Amino acid sequence: GAGVSQSPSNKVTEKGKDVELRCDPISGHTALYWYRQRLGQGLEFLIYFQGNSAPDKSGLPSDRFSAERTGESVSTLTIQRTQQEDSAVYLCASSYRTGGAGGNYEQYFGPGTRLTVT
Amino acid sequence: SQQGEEDPQALSIQEGENATMNCSYKTSINNLQWYRQNSGRGLVHLILIRSNEREKHSGRLRVTLDTSKKSSSLLITASRAADTASYFCATDLYYGGATNKLIFGTGTLLAVQP
């Protein structure tokens, strides 16, 4: 079946502009995650959605960052008033579910959106 | 700070040799997972080992987990040039139950020379 898809694959924007990144998770996956990865570094957790529960926003670096998810489908990550330090690859992942006996399930990642702020 | 830290940060070996990467973490976990990333894009899940398991195999991969030392190792046997990638461990923290996210380490960059 189809994997996690993200769009756009690349985005170049001017400093101060807003950007919106999209993620389509695998159908049936109730958990969805956003990560940021700066060049040569590890993954930085941003936000997590699980079903209809309140999202875990503990990783969002500032109030310029926000994300929404429609039910158990598409999610959008919005960055307002972009700064050069926002330049990174933004990765989305989904998993069948989370928590419960044995802990979290494996995550399936999309190809990412490479954001460049000039 | 990141829960998991991989060691070494970078590893270069010849094709056919074995590659060993280590991961250390700080708090109790439900499970630990290893992922591979090619060319700075999406990650691919390799293997999951639960806190009550000590060793797991998948093809040329062997993962060990020592909860007393809070460490895990990933062994790739008979490496191939196609194994060149970054490898990350991810821990599922335990706070009296499962949490809702994985915490990824900083990664090991593996280069397999043909």
Side-chain angles (χ1 to χ4, degrees):
Chain A
V4 177
S5 62
Q6 292 186 246
S7 62
S9 57
N10 287 284
K11 176 71 176 178
V12 180
T13 190
E14 292 181 354
K15 177 182 174 181
K17 299 284 179 117
D18 298 351
V19 295
E20 194 172 276
L21 312 180
R22 177 188 169 105
C23 172
D24 284 86
I26 293 173
S27 178
H29 281 192
T30 60
L32 185 147
Y33 309 79
W34 283 98
Y35 298 90
R36 178 171 69 179
Q37 186 178 32
R38 292 197 169 102
L39 185 63
Q41 298 187 21
L43 274 70
E44 177 185 3
F45 167 80
L46 295 178
I47 189 169
Y48 147 83
F49 296 89
Q50 167 64 41
N52 294 319
S53 300
D56 179 348
K57 304 180 182 179
S58 60
L60 295 179
S62 76
D63 58 8
R64 297 187 294 105
F65 288 72
S66 62
E68 293 184 351
R69 186 180 187 194
T70 306
E72 293 184 353
S73 61
V74 171
S75 175
T76 55
L77 175 69
T78 301
I79 308 173
Q80 295 178 311
R81 305 181 302 283
T82 52
Q83 303 295 313
Q84 288 186 329
E85 62 261 29
D86 299 333
S87 295
V89 175
Y90 289 82
L91 293 162
C92 173
S94 70
S95 67
Y96 174 60
R97 64 179 176 86
T98 189
N104 285 289
Y105 284 66
E106 64 188 80
Q107 295 185 12
Y108 294 79
F109 281 80
T113 294
R114 186 178 302 279
L115 175 66
T116 303
V117 182
T118 61
Chain B
S1 63
Q2 293 286 349
Q3 158 79 333
E5 293 187 2
E6 284 90 342
D7 164 52
Q9 289 187 325
L11 179 62
S12 181
I13 60 173
Q14 296 294 316
E15 211 166 22
E17 293 180 339
N18 296 340
T20 299
M21 288 160 271
N22 302 297
C23 170
S24 61
Y25 57 93
K26 298 175 183 175
T27 60
S28 296
I29 61 172
N30 285 297
N31 66 59
L32 185 146
Q33 304 180 26
W34 285 90
Y35 288 79
R36 184 183 70 203
Q37 183 180 39
N38 292 88
S39 304
R41 293 298 238 187
L43 280 72
V44 174
H45 180 266
L46 295 177
I47 198 165
L48 180 154
I49 186 164
R50 301 196 184 284
S51 60
N52 60 354
E53 297 176 313
R54 292 297 168 260
E55 188 171 312
K56 206 161 184 180
H57 296 255
S58 177
R60 294 184 296 112
L61 305 180
R62 172 178 169 252
V63 169
T64 62
L65 179 64
D66 187 334
T67 53
S68 65
K69 295 181 180 178
K70 292 187 171 55
S71 68
S72 173
S73 68
L74 171 67
L75 169 66
I76 304 174
T77 60
S79 63
R80 306 166 181 168
D83 294 329
T84 295
S86 292
Y87 292 82
F88 294 88
C89 69
T91 49
D92 174 8
L93 306 184
Y94 178 82
Y95 288 127
T99 62
N100 295 321
K101 59 192 179 188
L102 297 176
I103 304 297
F104 284 80
T106 52
T108 292
L109 178 59
L110 173 65
V112 181
Q113 310 298 331

